[in-house]
Amino acid sequence: MLESLGSLSGTPWVYAIVSLSIVLDVFVPILPSGVLVIAAATTAAGTGTATEAVRGVDVASSVHSGAHLAEVFSLVVCAATASVLGDMVAYRLAWRGGDRFDRAISRSRRLTAAQQRLGAALTRGGGGIVVLARFAPAGRSVVSLGAGVAHRTVREFLPWSALAGLAWAAYSVSLGYFGGHWLGTSWVSTALSVVALFAAGSAAAFLMRRPERRAAHGPARPGRRTAH
């Protein structure tokens, strides 16, 4: 994968491939969009490090470093934009899907619970659950489709989707960039970065399940009052 992306590094094709993967990931969560983002950032970091090592620390190296950071920044913007675009496409399809999506969600206890939590969170302005879901496995799909089925307004959903996409893109690109910068362009740096990405996803999934666990156990019983 690194070799394939390396040959496309610096061309618009790498952004097109990454963007398409991220957009489709909301419908097919098994697509490795996060892995592609990390691999692209790792390749960019490794290319920049190798060039600086050849040139040494001089003016040309500084100019190259600026172009290198611009490439990384462009990757963050590209990934975040594609994430929001995919969210909004799924949101609109679910909004117009009507009874079909309602029936599909009602058959899943997980989707029903997620839809209810999402609606309550967005109503209270606590759309942080959208940001958490962006890191959790399949959480982005559940949130985007749930927001559409529940007919949440664009004003409620879009800002949180944008924040979620930016946070996820910045985190994924940072993992790939620093891994490639410190460990070089190798499968080891990519593997460690992917492990860190999945660790964040597991933590996000755990935090999203906490309200369900509290609800399952019921409200805490008040302590026994002492006599005065």
Side-chain angles (χ1 to χ4, degrees):
M1 180 182 294
L2 289 177
E3 290 77 6
S4 300
L5 288 176
S7 62
L8 296 174
S9 181
T11 68
W13 285 108
V14 67
Y15 300 107
I17 293 172
V18 168
S19 297
L20 182 61
S21 174
I22 294 173
V23 170
L24 295 179
D25 184 69
V26 72
F27 302 103
V28 189
I30 61 174
L31 287 178
S33 61
V35 177
L36 283 178
V37 172
I38 288 175
T42 301
T43 302
T47 302
T49 302
T51 305
E52 290 177 5
V54 172
R55 293 183 178 183
V57 182
D58 53 14
V59 176
S61 178
S62 300
V63 172
H64 176 78
S65 297
H68 167 57
L69 292 178
E71 183 179 352
V72 172
F73 176 77
S74 298
L75 185 59
V76 172
V77 173
C78 174
T81 302
S83 179
V84 176
L85 178 60
D87 287 355
M88 295 309 297
V89 170
Y91 165 80
R92 282 299 183 185
L93 288 176
W95 179 291
R96 299 175 181 176
D99 295 337
R100 287 185 302 170
F101 280 95
D102 285 335
R103 289 194 297 269
I105 288 182
S106 64
R107 287 195 293 266
S108 172
R109 181 179 302 177
R110 178 185 177 187
L111 291 176
T112 301
Q115 179 185 351
Q116 293 173 350
R117 293 202 312 274
L118 174 65
L122 291 177
T123 300
R124 295 192 306 267
I129 189 175
V130 180
V131 180
L132 277 178
R134 185 61 185 85
F135 290 84
R140 175 192 179 199
S141 304
V142 172
V143 165
S144 299
L145 295 174
V149 170
H151 287 187
R152 312 311 308 182
T153 65
V154 174
R155 183 180 298 178
E156 289 176 325
F157 180 64
L158 180 57
W160 290 105
S161 173
L163 179 60
L166 181 60
W168 175 83
Y171 180 71
S172 301
V173 172
S174 296
L175 288 177
Y177 172 77
F178 289 111
H181 189 73
W182 292 331
L183 301 176
T185 306
S186 65
W187 68 269
V188 175
S189 62
T190 303
L192 290 177
S193 299
V194 171
V195 168
L197 181 65
F198 279 101
S202 299
F206 173 77
L207 291 175
M208 290 181 66
R209 285 196 298 266
R210 289 182 63 186
E212 291 181 358
R213 294 179 178 180
R214 285 197 297 266
H217 288 86
R221 295 180 180 178
R224 186 166 39 183
R225 296 180 179 177
T226 58
H228 293 285

